[in-house]
Amino acid sequence: VCYKAMVIQKTMVCTNPHEKICVVNTDNVPQNGHVIETHIRAMISKNHNDDDDDEHEHEHDEHEQQQFSTFLQQQVVFLNSMVDRITSQRSLEESQVPKCEPCPSKAFVVLDPDGDLPLAFSNDTDTDTDSSSSSSIMKSTYGVVVRSSPAQLQGDMALKLRIANGTHTAIAHTLALCSYPLTDTLSSTSPQGRLFREYLDSLVHGQILKAATASASSQWGDVVSPDEALETWQDWKARLEHPHFGLSSFFITQNGPSKGGIRLGPTVQDLLWMDHTTDQNQVSVSMAFAFAALLRWLTPRNDNDNDNDNNNGVYRGWLDGFTPSAAAVSFSRDSEESDDDNNTQEYADGLRYNLKQGWYEFRCACVIRQEEQHAVLSKVLQQIVFSSSTTMPPQ
């Protein structure tokens, strides 16, 4: 529509600073602007190659496709961005109306290196100190931050990945194993809620923020300051403790091996690098516990169902407070008895848990190298825990 109005009909002019249409999106895909542009250009190329019209029509279509490509090149810009806003589901009675947390300080970060966005966004957001400016209003009211360099956006993404996503992954596995189905436990004033919050504080201050000072990381570098990292944690902590923020602990555990490596792994790498430069062990108990909880979650029970090689990567584990054998006795995937008293809940596509019976299902397709062979991580963990040389895991 814009192409026809601006190029063919010439009835519309873009009023942005450089007269370019800015395409932004809210998909949390790295380099999302570049991905969209690449996809559109691939579609143009495909349509050109698939054109089977006669020669005259082919020449006409080729000319129009060249015009459209020029239009994209000169009058459209695809901006990379980062989005961070949580909306969670209410109870079944109000399922059509989602919960919504207060606006985060960086709900939407967009990279605009050439100042193509409308003036309301202002390209000076990352340095502006005038609280009355349009950029400050966009940030304080809507959580919109405009960055001028790729390194700044990379720093924002690193902060989100390591602090917000990393702590979410760490606490979700612990909460789920302890039969807390929602993360809103973190907003509780109970002793358990305080204990979980203290654990996250230890993980962040003792590990993640410490790694933020490590110059070895290309993600941090000179772009992210310790003060900004601390501000990110304070903002994220307030969000975690807000009553309308809670998500399903079990839902967050999906793709645990990948998330552990992507979200917590970079911090561990920086801490290990610091080990060599300081001659001190920088990895503490809090980080070790985060990975221990993740591996515990990925350990299946030792029963015939989990020995089945045709389980499509789905395994069944046992919750804290239950023995693997007790959870196994009460479970039958194809039996209606497993849904007794409506205690079985589905938390993801094809994955369920039952707090009363003490079992949960999870997927694991992570393959590791073991003794010159490749094996699924969960199978290896099962062998280690239930080998003849070990005792039955405690409750």
Side-chain angles (χ1 to χ4, degrees), residues 168-234:
H168 225 191
T169 293
I171 197 63
H173 291 86
T174 301
L175 289 173
L177 285 169
C178 294
S179 299
Y180 290 97
L182 297 173
T183 60
D184 58 8
T185 303
L186 296 171
S187 65
S188 169
T189 58
S190 66
Q192 293 85 351
R194 289 195 297 271
L195 180 62
F196 290 134
R197 291 193 295 272
E198 289 173 0
Y199 160 57
L200 289 182
D201 271 323
S202 175
L203 178 63
V204 172
H205 289 282
Q207 299 288 269
I208 299 175
L209 296 185
K210 179 188 291 186
T213 64
S215 59
S217 173
S218 60
Q219 286 188 317
W220 298 101
D222 297 328
V223 178
V224 176
S225 68
D227 288 342
E228 187 175 6
L230 178 60
E231 290 174 3
T232 299
W233 166 237
Q234 292 171 340

Side-chain angles (χ1 to χ4, degrees), residues 40 53 98 102 111 158 179 219 270 276 280 285 294 316 331 356:
I40 291 177
D53 294 333
L111 174 61
S179 299
Q219 286 188 317
D270 284 346
H276 294 295
Q280 294 180 350
V285 173
L294 172 59
R316 291 178 278 280
F331 181 87
K356 181 179 179 180

